[in-house]
Amino acid sequence: MGYVVLHLDKSPRNEAAMTDHIERKVIAPNVDPKRTHLNKELVPFPEGVTNRTEAIKYRIQNAELSRKVGKNQVQVIRLILSGSTEDMLRIQAEGKLDDWCRDSMDWLKKEYREKNIVAATLHLDEDAPHIHASVVPIVQGERRQKKTNKVQEVPKKQYKKKNANRPRLCADDVMTKEKLIHYQDSYAEAMAKYGLDRGIKGSEARHISTSEFYRNQKEESNNLQINIGLLLAQEEAKRNSIEQLRRQEQEAKQNYERVENLKQQKESELKESISSLEKERQEVYEKVRDMYDRKDEAKEKFLNMHEYTQQKEQEIVAAETRLEQLKLNYEPYKAQEDLNLLFGVFPYLSERLRIAQLCKAIGLTIDATKRLFNGESLSVTGKLHSPEHNQYFEAKDAKLQLFKDRENPDKLKLSINGKNIIDWFRLKFQELKQSVRAIQKPEKSKGIKM
C-alpha cells in the first residue's frame, strides 16, 4: 500500500511565476510537453477572469473584507495532492483517476469552503498525476489568541467588540499545527479506498519545498520510467511490424485485383474470338447446306460446289487451327498471371529473380549466382557483358557481392568493387567513348619545313 501526498505551502509573494508554471506558460525540465494537452482545469474561473493569479485577486476583492490586505500578508495557500508514484500510475491505469479527482475536490471543498478554492489543475504531463490547488484563506470567527506567559491585565477602557463572523484573510488560522495534522488524517481517510495510507505520525521527515518534491518524485520514478520506455519501444516495434504486414497485405490485394482484371479482360477477348470463329463456321455450314439444297443445278455446278465445299472446309480447319493457337497462347499467359500473383504475395521472390536474370545477363554461371545469394563474394577476372550497352567490359580481380539496398531493404544491389554494377558498366562505357574520341581526333598540321 502506498502513501498519500498532501503538501501545503504559504505564498505571500506575487503568484505570477507559480501561475506560469501551473498553466504551463513556462515548461519545467521535468515536464513532458507532448502530454501537456492532457492537463485539466478542475475549477472554472469567474466571468472575466482568465488565469489563476486573477482568480486569487478576484476572490479577495469580493470577500467583503473589512481590513486592507497587508503588503506581505499571505494571500493564497498552495496545495499539492497526489500519492506514491507507482500507486498514482496504478489508479490511472485502472481507470479510476476521474474518481480520485472528484473525491480530492470534495475533500478540498469540505475543509476550506468551495468559494476559497479559486483554482485546481490536474497535471498529467509529469511522472505521476497530481493536483495543484490554490486556496485563499478567508476565515470567519474570533481571531486566534497568541499564547503568552504575561498575566493579562484588566483593560482600563472597554471597547466595542467587532463582529466575530466578519470575513478575514488569515493563513495562520488555516495552517495551525493541529489543523495540519487534521488535514493529513482526513485526506488519508478520503483516499483509503484507492489503497493510499497516511504517512507515519510523528515522523522525523521534514517539510520540503516544491522543487525538492519534484526532485524526489523524479528520483522515485526513474526505474519505472526505464521500464515504461522499454515497454513503449516494444510496443512501437510491434506496431511497425503490424503496419508493414498491413502494407504487404494491401499490395498483395492490389496485385491480385490487377491480375484478376487482366484475366477477365483476356477471357473476354478469347470469348469474342471464339464467338467470331463460331459465327464464321456457322456461315460456312449454312452456305454448304444451301449448295446441297440446290438439286436442280447442273453437274458442273455440283463439281464446282464440291470444290467450294472443300475450300470452305479448309477454311474451317484453318479457323479451328487458329482457335487452338489462341488457346495455346492463352495458357502461357495464364501461367504468367499465376507467377505475377505469386510475386505480388511474396515480393522478395520477384527481386531475387531480377537479380538472377541480371547475373545471367552479365555472364555469371548458375553456381556463381547461388554463391552470391548465399552471401559469398566472388573474385572475377574476364569480360562482363552490359545488357544496357550490349558491350563486354574487361574486369580484373574484381570483387562481386550482393547487398541489401540501404534505402529500401526489400531491394537487392549487385556491386562490383563496392560500386553498383550498373554504374560500373556506365563508367566503363564512358571510358570507352573517351578512348575512341582520342583515337579519331586528327592531329594538327605542323606545316612544311623549308
Side-chain angles (χ1 to χ4, degrees):
M1 177 178 288
Y3 295 100
V4 297
V5 173
L6 179 61
H7 180 80
L8 290 86
D9 186 19
K10 295 180 182 180
S11 177
R13 301 168 301 184
N14 185 350
E15 279 297 294
M18 180 55 68
T19 297
D20 288 345
H21 167 73
I22 294 174
E23 297 180 357
R24 295 307 189 231
K25 295 177 182 177
V26 175
I27 303 299
N30 61 311
V31 174
D32 181 3
K34 296 180 181 179
R35 292 188 289 152
T36 298
H37 67 282
L38 301 174
N39 296 344
K40 298 178 182 179
E41 293 294 339
L42 305 179
V43 175
F45 293 140
E47 185 177 357
V49 175
T50 60
N51 58 47
R52 172 179 171 274
T53 303
E54 293 178 2
I56 296 170
K57 294 180 181 179
Y58 181 89
R59 173 56 181 148
I60 294 174
Q61 292 171 357
N62 292 274
E64 299 181 356
L65 300 178
S66 58
R67 294 181 61 181
K68 182 179 179 181
V69 177
K71 182 177 180 181
N72 294 325
Q73 192 171 357
V74 175
Q75 298 183 17
V76 65
I77 298 173
R78 302 185 298 220
L79 294 90
I80 297 178
L81 297 88
S82 185
S84 303
T85 302
E86 292 84 354
D87 292 276
M88 292 306 300
L89 294 175
R90 170 183 54 78
I91 292 170
Q92 185 178 18
E94 292 174 353
K96 297 179 180 180
L97 190 60
D98 289 341
D99 295 335
W100 177 84
C101 289
R102 185 184 60 252
D103 290 340
S104 294
M105 291 304 299
D106 289 344
W107 178 83
L108 286 169
K109 295 172 185 178
K110 178 181 177 182
E111 295 293 342
Y112 305 104
R113 297 173 59 198
E114 185 172 358
K115 288 184 178 181
N116 291 338
I117 305 169
V118 297
T121 305
L122 173 65
H123 279 174
L124 296 175
D125 55 359
E126 298 183 39
D127 294 331
H130 59 276
I131 294 174
H132 280 277
S134 302
V135 175
V136 176
I138 304 295
V139 299
Q140 291 178 320
E142 291 288 346
R143 187 178 299 274
R144 187 167 59 93
Q145 299 294 328
K146 294 183 179 179
K147 294 182 178 180
T148 178
N149 294 327
K150 294 182 179 180
V151 178
Q152 189 167 349
E153 299 178 356
V154 178
K156 298 179 180 178
K157 186 177 180 181
Q158 296 292 332
Y159 294 93
K160 182 179 179 181
K161 291 185 178 181
K162 296 180 181 179
N163 183 7
N165 292 323
R166 73 186 188 283
R168 294 183 293 111
L169 180 67
C170 184
D172 291 340
D173 282 10
V174 176
M175 297 186 66
T176 65
K177 181 177 179 180
E178 294 78 10
K179 286 188 176 181
L180 291 174
I181 294 173
H182 165 74
Y183 297 150
Q184 297 291 341
D185 292 339
S186 62
Y187 187 57
E189 291 176 3
M191 295 293 106
K193 65 172 74 173
Y194 300 103
L196 299 175
D197 199 0
R198 188 197 192 287
I200 301 172
K201 291 185 179 181
S203 171
E204 295 181 357
R206 62 185 180 87
H207 192 68
I208 62 176
S209 65
T210 302
S211 60
E212 288 178 299
F213 169 77
Y214 282 130
R215 185 167 60 252
N216 293 341
Q217 289 290 89
K218 184 69 176 179
E219 292 175 357
E220 182 181 346
S221 64
N222 276 343
N223 292 333
L224 183 62
Q225 287 290 352
I226 293 173
N227 293 333
I228 292 175
L230 293 174
L231 291 174
L232 289 175
Q234 294 174 2
E235 187 67 21
E236 182 67 20
K238 290 179 181 178
R239 282 199 297 267
N240 291 338
S241 299
I242 293 172
E243 185 63 26
Q244 184 178 4
L245 290 175
R246 286 177 178 171
R247 288 197 299 268
Q248 292 177 354
E249 180 183 3
Q250 184 67 21
E251 292 175 359
K253 183 178 179 181
Q254 292 174 353
N255 291 334
Y256 174 78
E257 291 175 352
R258 284 197 295 268
V259 171
E260 190 66 22
N261 291 336
L262 196 55
K263 178 182 177 183
Q264 292 177 0
Q265 179 183 349
K266 293 301 178 181
E267 286 179 348
S268 177
E269 293 175 358
L270 182 60
K271 287 179 180 179
E272 290 179 0
S273 299
I274 293 173
S275 177
S276 178
L277 290 173
E278 287 293 340
K279 185 177 180 180
E280 292 179 6
R281 187 174 184 179
Q282 186 64 29
E283 290 176 355
V284 172
Y285 279 131
E286 289 177 356
K287 289 180 180 180
V288 171
R289 282 199 304 268
D290 291 341
M291 292 177 68
Y292 277 112
D293 290 340
R294 297 169 60 185
K295 296 179 181 180
D296 56 345
E297 293 185 359
K299 183 178 180 180
E300 185 177 355
K301 291 184 178 181
F302 175 78
L303 293 175
N304 292 335
M305 180 186 68
H306 181 67
E307 292 176 358
Y308 180 79
T309 302
Q310 288 181 343
Q311 180 183 355
K312 290 301 178 183
E313 287 178 348
Q314 290 175 359
E315 292 178 358
I316 292 172
V317 171
E320 290 178 343
T321 302
R322 181 183 172 194
L323 177 61
E324 291 298 323
Q325 187 62 40
L326 287 173
K327 290 182 178 179
L328 290 175
N329 292 338
Y330 176 72
E331 289 302 326
Y333 180 78
K334 184 178 179 182
Q336 182 62 38
E337 288 180 348
D338 294 338
L339 191 58
N340 291 339
L341 178 60
L342 184 62
F343 289 159
V345 177
F346 303 99
Y348 68 91
L349 292 179
S350 176
E351 180 64 12
R352 292 174 75 89
L353 179 59
R354 183 184 71 81
I355 294 298
Q357 291 173 341
L358 177 60
C359 292
K360 180 181 178 182
I362 67 175
L364 296 184
T365 64
I366 295 177
D367 181 64
T369 303
K370 288 181 179 180
R371 291 172 62 190
L372 285 174
F373 277 116
N374 288 334
E376 299 183 30
S377 61
L378 303 179
S379 179
V380 177
T381 299
K383 293 184 178 180
L384 296 177
H385 180 258
S386 170
E388 180 180 358
H389 306 98
N390 193 21
Q391 183 75 32
Y392 285 90
F393 296 102
E394 190 71 29
K396 184 176 181 181
D397 294 331
K399 182 179 180 182
L400 281 177
Q401 198 164 8
L402 202 57
F403 294 98
K404 287 186 177 180
D405 196 325
R406 294 181 179 178
E407 297 180 356
N408 188 354
D410 293 333
K411 293 290 183 180
L412 298 175
K413 181 176 70 175
L414 181 60
S415 69
I416 179 168
N417 294 334
K419 180 184 287 295
N420 192 317
I421 195 166
I422 302 301
D423 297 334
W424 185 81
F425 278 136
R426 290 173 181 171
L427 181 61
K428 290 292 183 181
F429 183 72
Q430 291 297 326
E431 293 175 355
L432 178 62
K433 287 173 63 178
Q434 291 175 1
S435 62
V436 170
R437 288 196 191 101
I439 294 173
Q440 293 178 349
K441 186 176 180 181
E443 295 183 357
K444 292 183 179 180
S445 176
K446 298 181 180 178
I448 300 173
K449 294 182 178 180
M450 298 296 294

